[in-house]
Amino acid sequence: MEYAAFETLLRAHNVTVYQVTKATGISPSTFTDWKNGRSCPKADKLARIAEFFSIGLDELLGTAEGKRQTEQSYRSMRASKMIPVIGVIRAGAPIVTDETLLGREFADVNDAEDYFYLQVCGDSMKNCGIVEGTFVLFHKQQYAENGDIVACLVDDDSATVKRFHRDHRRILLLPENEDYPPIELTPEDFEIGRARILGVAVEAKTKF
């Protein structure tokens, strides 16, 4: 895109370069170099300019190259947000191995490494819509608030998905199915490593 075309956009929207720099976080020197022909903004900065004017990158550039850069940017963004889908968690952590990894799926999160999907086995959470085969997105963390749905490891068995509830010296992992009893634990169980929260549920879906 030529800088002259950018100036046309400025006039059409009655804004200044200063307003664009403030809104997009792009350095004024970038625009100066662009105006003087020393460089051209990179794809990510052009995307921010296009977003500011509420137009597509291809429209901003006015060429097929704009469409190509838009598609590349989208693919790159999507690739950076692919989350591992795990079939089972054992031995203390949601570790991805050839044995446990079912694949990777997109999730609209900022830090993909802080999340994992777990495919749920059983129907102990069916009353809240988590049925056999549901994929639950978990944020990796070792603490939870009352009412959170957690992935919790107990006695080094495979992780169980339950609702967390703490009542003074008692911690309950509550099912959402009257056919299953709660799992009763104590704070000491977590201190000595008998139990460990692996993550807190963010969303659940039955298919991708």
Side-chain angles (χ1 to χ4, degrees):
M1 180 186 183
E2 297 293 332
Y3 189 85
F6 172 68
E7 289 184 316
T8 300
L9 268 177
L10 293 175
R11 290 193 296 271
H13 289 79
N14 195 29
V15 296
T16 65
V17 171
Y18 175 77
Q19 289 173 308
V20 178
T21 61
K22 291 289 288 184
T24 60
I26 300 173
S27 169
S29 63
T30 297
F31 289 92
T32 301
D33 289 344
W34 185 15
K35 182 176 182 179
N36 295 330
R38 289 193 292 266
S39 66
C40 181
K42 295 181 180 179
D44 62 326
K45 294 179 180 178
L46 287 171
R48 276 185 267 166
I49 295 171
E51 183 179 0
F52 174 84
F53 288 110
S54 299
I55 60 177
L57 185 56
D58 52 341
E59 185 179 349
L60 176 68
L61 295 179
T63 65
E65 178 67 11
K67 184 176 181 180
R68 184 186 69 80
Q69 289 192 21
T70 300
E71 291 172 347
Q72 284 183 340
S73 177
Y74 174 76
R75 287 196 297 268
S76 176
M77 178 276 294
R78 190 173 181 87
S80 71
K81 297 187 176 186
M82 297 301 284
I83 310 297
V85 181
I86 302 172
V88 64
I89 298 176
R90 291 193 177 94
I95 298 172
V96 178
T97 67
D98 290 340
E99 183 179 289
T100 63
L101 182 65
L102 300 179
R104 293 181 183 273
E105 293 293 340
F106 174 81
D108 191 10
V109 297
N110 291 327
D111 299 304
E113 293 183 356
D114 292 338
Y115 294 84
F116 64 93
Y117 277 110
L118 176 63
Q119 186 175 31
V120 173
C121 297
D123 61 353
S124 67
M125 298 295 286
K126 71 174 186 177
N127 292 345
C128 66
I130 300 177
V131 297
E132 176 87 26
T134 298
F135 296 93
V136 182
L137 178 65
F138 287 93
H139 179 259
K140 296 178 184 177
Q141 59 188 66
Q142 295 183 18
Y143 60 90
E145 302 291 338
N146 280 350
D148 286 343
I149 293 175
V150 301
C152 186
L153 198 74
V154 181
D155 291 329
D156 286 329
D157 199 357
S158 58
T160 184
V161 178
K162 296 290 185 290
R163 195 175 293 279
F164 180 88
H165 180 80
R166 178 168 182 169
D167 181 13
H168 300 292
R169 300 296 299 171
R170 186 175 65 160
I171 295 174
L172 298 175
L173 301 180
L174 301 172
E176 291 280 350
N177 182 339
E178 57 278 1
D179 293 334
Y180 293 83
I183 299 172
E184 187 168 344
L185 301 166
T186 67
E188 286 74 18
D189 289 322
F190 289 87
E191 292 170 6
I192 66 176
R194 181 191 167 217
R196 180 183 177 194
I197 293 173
L198 304 176
V200 170
V202 176
E203 66 176 22
K205 54 183 69 178
T206 55
K207 62 181 179 179
F208 292 109

